[in-house]
Amino acid sequence: DIEIIFIILVIKNTKNYFMDIILVVLGLICSILGLLGSFLPALPGAPLSWIGLLLLYLTDYVENNYWVLGITLLLTIIVSILDYTIPAKGTKKFGGTKYGIWGTNIGLIVGLFFPPIGFIIGLFVGAFIGELIYNSQDKKGALKAAFGAFLGFLVSSFMKFMLCFSFLILFLIVAIKNY
């Protein structure tokens, strides 16, 4: 009877061990894809990186820390929102009008269908066309607003990269510490 109980316990612990390995590997893959997604618009960088952290914290070896998960989720939400608003703010900062901002937003959406470069071209062309619709005579102003949209994209990409890189470092530190 004791041997059967021991065998059952070994099998149960082995299943948990393999599941933990799968969760850690999937979490690491999500973290790496999230880092790539900070530059590739087709991949949701910050959410993928956060899912990687969540998968790590779902293992038996890592103690649940709702503060870490909550704060990192909040940062993920904030950065995800800023990712879509910063290019439009860049357009406005460089003299763009509401037409240019709308063009930037429409260009972002259209550009999603043509990865990976469509996102960048979409926001630039969208802002440029939006400004030309507003004032077809001011090509220089339209180009300046489009440059602002592009600069905003670079700023938001850098922000996403820093967040995703931080999440990857946190993932590695917690994983190494607990395994």
Side-chain angles (χ1 to χ4, degrees):
D1 289 331
I2 293 176
E3 292 172 351
I4 293 173
I5 293 172
F6 178 74
I7 290 172
I8 290 172
L9 287 174
V10 167
I11 291 172
K12 182 180 176 192
N13 287 336
T14 304
K15 286 182 183 177
N16 287 345
Y17 178 73
F18 287 124
M19 185 55 132
D20 284 348
I21 289 175
I22 290 170
L23 287 172
V24 169
V25 169
L26 287 175
L28 184 60
I29 289 170
C30 283
S31 295
I32 292 170
L33 286 176
L35 192 62
L36 292 174
S38 64
F39 292 108
L40 299 174
L43 294 173
L48 271 176
S49 290
W50 186 81
I51 289 171
L53 279 177
L54 177 64
L55 291 173
L56 178 65
Y57 276 94
L58 289 176
T59 63
D60 288 338
Y61 292 97
V62 177
E63 184 179 332
N64 286 334
N65 189 334
Y66 298 111
W67 282 104
V68 169
L69 290 174
I71 290 170
T72 54
L73 177 61
L74 182 64
L75 289 172
T76 299
I77 292 169
I78 290 169
V79 165
S80 296
I81 291 169
L82 288 175
D83 184 38
Y84 287 99
T85 58
I86 286 177
K89 296 289 185 187
T91 303
K92 188 172 183 169
K93 184 78 173 167
F94 278 74
T97 64
K98 288 183 182 181
Y99 287 84
I101 293 170
W102 274 102
T104 299
N105 291 330
I106 292 168
L108 285 170
I109 294 168
V110 171
L112 289 174
F113 296 105
F114 303 100
I117 197 88
F119 190 75
I120 298 167
I121 292 172
L123 68 90
F124 186 86
V125 170
F128 186 75
I129 290 172
E131 289 300 320
L132 287 180
I133 290 172
Y134 178 74
N135 182 0
S136 62
Q137 302 301 317
D138 189 14
K139 290 180 178 55
K140 187 176 181 181
L143 192 60
K144 185 177 175 185
F147 176 73
F150 177 70
L151 192 61
F153 169 76
L154 290 179
V155 168
S156 67
S157 293
F158 179 72
M159 178 183 58
K160 284 189 304 185
F161 175 78
M162 292 306 294
L163 182 73
C164 293
F165 184 72
S166 300
F167 284 2
L168 179 61
I169 296 299
L170 178 62
F171 181 96
L172 293 173
I173 289 170
V174 170
I176 290 169
K177 178 182 165 193
N178 289 288
Y179 285 94

